[in-house]
Amino acid sequence: RAMKLLRDQAGISSFDALKPAFLEIYTASRSVLTTAPFAEASRIPLRRNASDATEASQFLPVRLFSLASSLDQLEQGYRATTAAKFDEALALFRRLLLSLIFVAVETNEDARELKRVVKVCREYVIGISIELERAAVAKDEATEENLTRLVELAAYFTHCGLRADHEKLTLRLAMNTAYKHKCFRAAGGLAQRLADLLPEQTVAGNRSAQQIRDKALTMVSTCDLKSRDSLPIDYDARNPLVVCAASHTPILGGEATVNCSYCQAPYKPEFEGELCRVCTIAQIGAQATGLRSLD
């Protein structure tokens, strides 16, 4: 029954990644009591509303996953990202994304917060996946094709919805990568975005932030004079875009897109019907009623 509800509400089509969570919930909802030597142990269900319920049908099992514990795990993912431990961060955000399916909340405010955490996990999984691909490409032979992809991936990473401090790090990496490979139009646009995140009044007295802002503005001026890209990159900082979670290529505003039925990760239409690369459990483009998290 639980699997049917998840299919209907969230379009879940693969339960392999959820099996550990199902087993954890099953184990945590029961206690074992031994009454006498050689006697069979009794299994006692653990209830979270034992004092309120009067009939067996009203009893609710204990909660293994909660919004509070989810927020703690989110902070762990942030710390791993700041430390550039991207493999660890990817595993943390993806595990959290899977566990959020089982979180029940009691207020509309908590329901909105739960949706926010799902969105954060989605954006970090996409962004870190892009960065891991960029790091792999950086190790390959420095052909024009690989260098073009290197600059593109660094730029696409900046379009994931990351926390402000992480967004600044991605912009610094992307503008330096673009500038190094003489993609001056892209570098100038990325540098301007970084400078916009560091307005003069907010960096006053912060020497490090001021230096970053000054470097970005200098790069904007330099790139304005050159204003060309030496590589045929598929990127224009002036166009709003989202990144396809499968191909790691841009989907520009107005272009057709399909989304994962659970985490809402964006995809190009050719990936419709496949398994989501982000949450790994839901079908891309599946029709679903929407996950109900209010208890």
Side-chain angles (χ1 to χ4, degrees):
R1 182 181 176 185
M3 292 170 69
K4 183 180 184 304
L5 283 173
L6 288 174
R7 284 195 191 98
D8 294 342
Q9 293 183 13
I12 307 303
S13 60
S14 175
F15 291 88
D16 292 343
L18 292 176
K19 184 177 179 179
F22 276 125
L23 293 174
E24 283 185 74
I25 292 170
Y26 177 82
T27 303
S29 65
R30 288 164 174 76
S31 180
V32 178
L33 176 65
T34 303
T35 56
F38 308 110
E40 185 176 352
S42 300
R43 295 184 178 275
I44 304 172
L46 302 177
R47 301 156 180 164
R48 68 173 185 264
N49 65 333
S51 59
D52 300 328
T54 57
E55 299 180 14
S57 60
Q58 297 175 326
F59 288 124
L60 298 173
V62 294
R63 289 174 178 157
L64 177 60
F65 301 107
S66 68
L67 181 58
S69 64
S70 298
L71 293 174
D72 288 341
Q73 292 179 56
L74 184 63
E75 289 300 321
Q76 293 178 34
Y78 284 150
R79 287 194 292 270
T81 303
T82 302
K85 298 178 179 179
F86 293 118
D87 288 311
E88 178 184 337
L90 182 63
L92 284 167
F93 283 115
R94 185 166 277 146
R95 185 163 64 243
L96 175 55
L97 185 59
L98 294 175
S99 70
L100 291 171
I101 288 181
F102 303 104
V103 175
V105 295
E106 297 178 351
T107 68
N108 288 324
E109 182 180 356
D110 284 348
R112 288 191 292 270
E113 178 67 358
L114 184 60
K115 288 183 178 180
R116 183 191 72 83
V117 178
V118 170
K119 180 180 178 181
V120 169
C121 290
R122 176 192 74 217
E123 294 299 304
Y124 271 83
V125 169
I126 296 173
I128 293 171
S129 299
I130 292 171
E131 170 57 19
L132 290 175
E133 183 183 345
R134 187 200 66 79
V137 172
K139 297 176 182 178
D140 293 338
E141 184 181 355
T143 62
E144 180 178 286
E145 180 182 359
N146 286 338
L147 293 178
T148 299
R149 186 61 174 157
L150 190 71
V151 175
E152 289 175 343
L153 290 168
Y156 299 155
F157 192 10
T158 71
H159 288 270
C160 297
L162 309 185
R163 203 172 64 177
D165 56 330
H166 295 150
E167 182 182 4
K168 292 169 188 172
L169 290 173
T170 65
L171 284 166
R172 290 174 66 185
L173 171 66
M175 75 177 195
N176 289 331
T177 301
Y179 190 85
K180 176 182 177 181
H181 296 292
K182 297 181 173 58
C183 292
F184 299 116
R185 285 183 60 196
L190 293 161
Q192 185 62 63
R193 286 176 56 198
L194 178 59
D196 291 342
L197 289 176
L198 296 165
E200 189 170 1
Q201 61 271 24
T202 65
V203 300
N206 186 330
R207 184 178 179 184
S208 176
Q210 185 66 58
Q211 288 176 339
I212 294 171
R213 184 175 188 275
D214 291 344
K215 180 180 178 181
L217 291 174
T218 299
M219 187 173 291
V220 170
S221 299
T222 302
C223 292
D224 282 346
L225 295 175
K226 300 181 180 182
S227 191
R228 63 179 179 82
D229 293 332
S230 65
L231 295 171
I233 59 172
D234 184 13
Y235 179 72
D236 187 339
R238 298 169 297 181
N239 290 335
L241 63 88
V242 294
V243 182
C244 173
S247 63
H248 295 164
T249 54
I251 304 173
L252 302 180
E255 291 185 344
T257 181
V258 290
N259 298 86
C260 168
S261 53
Y262 166 50
C263 70
Q264 298 301 306
Y267 291 88
K268 293 188 172 183
E270 58 260 37
F271 296 101
E272 186 170 6
E274 298 184 12
L275 197 64
C276 177
R277 304 323 196 254
V278 176
C279 65
T280 72
I281 56 173
Q283 185 179 351
I284 301 167
Q287 296 298 315
T289 60
L291 197 62
R292 297 180 179 89
S293 56
L294 278 173
D295 199 349

